[in-house]
Amino acid sequence: MLPIQPARFLEDLHNLRGFGAAGLGKGVVRPAYSEADIAARGWLAARITEAGLRVHVDPVGSVFGLAEGPSLLLGSHSDSQPEGGWLDGALGVIAALEIARAAREAGGPAVSVVSFQDEEGRFGVTTGSAVWSGSLTLKAADLLVDRDGVSFGAARASMPGRSEMFVDPSQFSGFLEMHIEQGPVLDRESEAIGVVDAIVGIRDMKITFEGEQNHAGTTPMQGRRDAFQAVSRFNTLLADRFANVVTPRTVWTIGHISLHPNASSIVPGRATFSMQWRDGDADRLGRMEQIIRDTAQEVASSGGFELRFGPMLGLEPVKMDTRLRGALETAAEAEVPGRWRVMPSGALHDATNLSGLMPVAMLFVPSIGGISHAFGEDTAEADLVTGLSVLAGAVAALG
Ligand code: HGY
Ligand code: MN
Ligand code: MN
């Protein structure tokens, strides 16, 4: 067994939480390229150097800690949602650091570490690992903009210490990512570990309805071309149209909407909103896309709106590697017999992008109340340490 040090692991996890700490509890605000994110990555690079690994910050700001020669890659991301929890991504990065240190102290196996940039998609969808894995060109990524119109190219240019070179993925024999479940299952079932069998796919695009800006008091309801009403009608119709296509696991979300000019006495002339949907079946994602486009077109034509679709970003559903997953299952059964399960991931992870480069596998620890992407996200420290032990057991076995 690798000589992991739970106290050192927890101390670094709490240190990382300090960068962008927000809210009353353990929340963080640490979006990609924010001051807090850049400072956190600087701190991480120093810890990686102290661990005896070679730091490499790639052109988009993903921070690697490289062992000499061939190695197993462990990691996740350290950027957060606009309002996030202290563990989403950070847990996998610090667990990777602790195992890399313990592996070096034990004389092997060789373990490298990574914290990918913009997994949370301030600009795209798992942008840093999408660029590294080649599923998104750097040129295309640089043109992506956040909700305030800042481009990825401008934001990454603000981050010091980036190399011009990307890390060569062929040095890695595989990728293991530990993550919080971000859902209610393990907590509800009082189980300690989830071993992931597959990660869902996703589609994400902006949709704009253009109607007619007008006076909220003098414009009769009949004949208004109120862009918010178009979104409302679209959303209601969609639920009906999806009824015989989706399953209880399918999800779709309108998480961001901007109305122009966004004033209480003005009928909004324009509404731009994010349309995101996820499912484990690529074919179902495609059928949902067609329904979304057709329904938006129907609302636009019947209500006299102009309709625009932004570029659609997406990732395909992926299955975890059998051998790596088997090592996690064996380690889980050894550590918490009968208190673990195989389960799908409804959240996206960098592991999806890496699955095109190398074998990948993931393990989950419980999220209290299933809360995530919110300041209230939390996991009992005993569960965090259990996850670390299972990950270490799998790494030792794969060694
Ligand atoms: O949205 C996701 O699933 C990931 O947490 N970014
Ligand atoms: Mn995450
Ligand atoms: Mn997340």
Side-chain angles (χ1 to χ4, degrees):
M1 184 53 176
L2 297 179
I4 52 173
Q5 297 183 27
R8 181 173 63 177
F9 158 68
L10 290 170
E11 188 191 354
D12 273 346
L13 209 43
H14 283 292
N15 287 337
L16 179 49
R17 172 163 72 91
F19 295 94
L24 298 176
K26 299 177 182 164
V28 294
V29 175
R30 202 169 57 226
Y33 307 113
S34 59
E35 208 180 305
D37 172 63
I38 292 174
R41 289 177 187 273
W43 168 83
L44 179 66
R47 295 300 278 161
I48 285 170
T49 303
E50 286 165 26
L53 298 169
R54 181 167 64 81
V55 171
H56 182 101
V57 182
D58 83 1
V60 301
S62 292
V63 177
F64 288 80
L66 300 172
E68 302 83 30
S71 63
L72 185 63
L73 182 62
L74 270 62
S76 191
H77 61 93
S78 54
D79 60 293
S80 82
Q81 284 284 332
E83 288 192 5
W86 70 299
L87 293 169
D88 180 353
L91 172 62
V93 171
I94 300 302
L97 177 64
E98 178 53 32
I99 288 179
R101 285 186 292 223
R104 282 182 72 80
E105 287 154 5
V111 173
S112 294
V113 174
V114 63
S115 168
F116 285 111
Q117 182 56 290
D118 198 31
E119 188 281 343
E120 295 291 10
R122 172 184 165 191
F123 297 92
V125 171
T126 62
T127 321
S129 57
V131 170
W132 187 54
S133 63
S135 58
L136 178 68
T137 65
L138 184 55
K139 198 158 164 284
D142 278 346
L143 300 177
L144 295 170
V145 291
D146 72 359
R147 56 187 187 178
D148 302 319
V150 176
S151 77
F152 184 76
R156 73 182 178 93
S158 72
M159 180 173 173
R162 287 169 304 108
S163 154
E164 288 302 307
M165 302 291 289
F166 285 97
V167 167
D168 175 1
S170 67
Q171 65 192 283
F172 305 122
S173 57
F175 178 65
L176 289 178
E177 181 171 4
M178 174 152 101
H179 206 284
I180 48 173
E181 179 200 337
Q182 299 181 291
V185 175
L186 295 176
D187 185 45
R188 186 184 62 216
E189 303 300 326
S190 305
E191 290 167 346
I193 294 288
V195 176
V196 176
D197 55 359
I199 303 174
V200 294
I202 187 173
R203 298 289 183 270
D204 195 301
M205 68 177 170
K206 293 277 187 297
I207 300 177
T208 297
F209 286 113
E210 193 88 51
E212 182 182 60
Q213 179 174 328
N214 210 330
H215 193 296
T218 57
T219 311
M221 293 310 280
Q222 184 61 29
R224 277 189 182 197
R225 286 189 290 129
D226 175 339
F228 176 74
Q229 293 302 331
V231 181
S232 168
R233 187 159 142 66
F234 165 79
N235 186 49
T236 307
L237 280 176
L238 205 55
D240 297 342
R241 303 280 159 83
F242 276 168
N244 52 13
V245 172
V246 298
T247 76
R249 281 190 192 278
T250 312
V251 292
W252 61 95
T253 312
I254 295 178
H256 180 250
I257 181 168
S258 70
L259 296 177
H260 180 81
N262 210 23
S264 51
S265 293
I266 302 179
V267 175
R270 184 171 64 242
T272 297
F273 61 98
S274 60
M275 184 73 232
Q276 184 189 100
W277 59 108
R278 308 187 192 199
D279 192 83
D281 177 329
D283 173 55
R284 180 172 292 112
L285 290 171
R287 281 185 282 148
M288 292 172 76
E289 178 191 349
Q290 200 51 57
I291 291 171
I292 286 165
R293 291 183 187 278
D294 293 349
T295 306
Q297 189 55 63
E298 181 188 327
V299 168
S301 316
S302 62
F305 296 91
E306 247 183 78
L307 168 64
R308 287 192 297 280
F309 293 111
M312 187 175 76
L313 295 172
L315 293 175
E316 298 312 311
V318 288
K319 290 209 177 321
M320 299 295 95
D321 174 76
T322 314
R323 187 173 72 90
L324 295 188
R325 184 185 134 185
L328 290 171
E329 292 179 7
T330 305
E333 185 56 23
E335 189 75 26
V336 282
R339 285 185 56 228
W340 64 279
R341 69 170 54 211
V342 174
M343 62 192 292
S345 174
L348 276 187
H349 299 288
D350 292 307
T352 293
N353 289 316
L354 272 67
S355 66
L357 298 173
M358 62 192 79
V360 305
M362 290 193 72
L363 81 155
F364 284 162
V365 294
S367 292
I368 297 172
I371 302 293
S372 184
H373 283 191
F375 289 153
E377 174 187 287
D378 203 0
T379 298
E381 292 197 350
D383 285 337
L384 297 176
V385 174
T386 301
L388 180 74
S389 301
V390 171
L391 187 59
V395 168
L398 290 164

